[in-house]
Amino acid sequence: MAENIEQSTVKTPQQTAKSNDDASRLLIGLLVVAVAVIAVMGWMLAGNNIVGKPDIDFNQVASTCGSEKGGDDIFATSNSLDIEYTSSGLIGPDENSAALSCVMSELDAPDSLLHKMSNTRPIDGMQSDTWNGLKATWTYTASDSRSGTLSVTFEKE
């Protein structure tokens, strides 16, 4: 009986190689899972949730950039933020809206977006642009030859 115990603990070279292969596969599997977890965590830390939409609280942005920043009308829901700004520009909306500038700063919008909005004319109709999983849609409506309203909607793509 003692001989049977000793024989069962001795491994052949093929058994040792198989054990090493199994250990290697397990290690590779664990590394793949670790890389996947790190990638998802990085994605989330970059401001995205699992479905790829930015984690923006539009109500908080509206609160931060609201009435203390000027007379612009700001309305927010969990999915979007609307702002209306009446300008005194002769051609299109000017860049003097503190509330709009604040909203765009809070949403990390590129500077080029405000420039595009500022150069929109009533004849241009509805315009839109996207960045970092967000979308801005805007239009400029002239009230008369000296003023108009810029209406902007920010939403998750």
Side-chain angles (χ1 to χ4, degrees), residues 122-142:
I123 196 170
D124 296 331
M126 185 73 66
Q127 302 290 307
S128 66
D129 202 355
T130 60
W131 75 100
N132 298 338
L134 293 173
K135 179 179 181 180
T137 306
W138 69 93
T139 188
Y140 180 72
T141 309

Side-chain angles (χ1 to χ4, degrees), residues 8 13 22 27 29 33-34 39 53 64-65 76-77 79 85 89 97-98 104 114 116 125 131-132 149 153:
S8 65
D22 291 344
L27 181 60
V33 169
K53 293 185 179 180
T64 300
C65 300
T77 67
N79 297 319
Y85 167 64
S97 168
M104 293 182 65
L114 185 57
K116 291 174 186 177
W131 75 100
N132 298 338
T149 301
T153 298

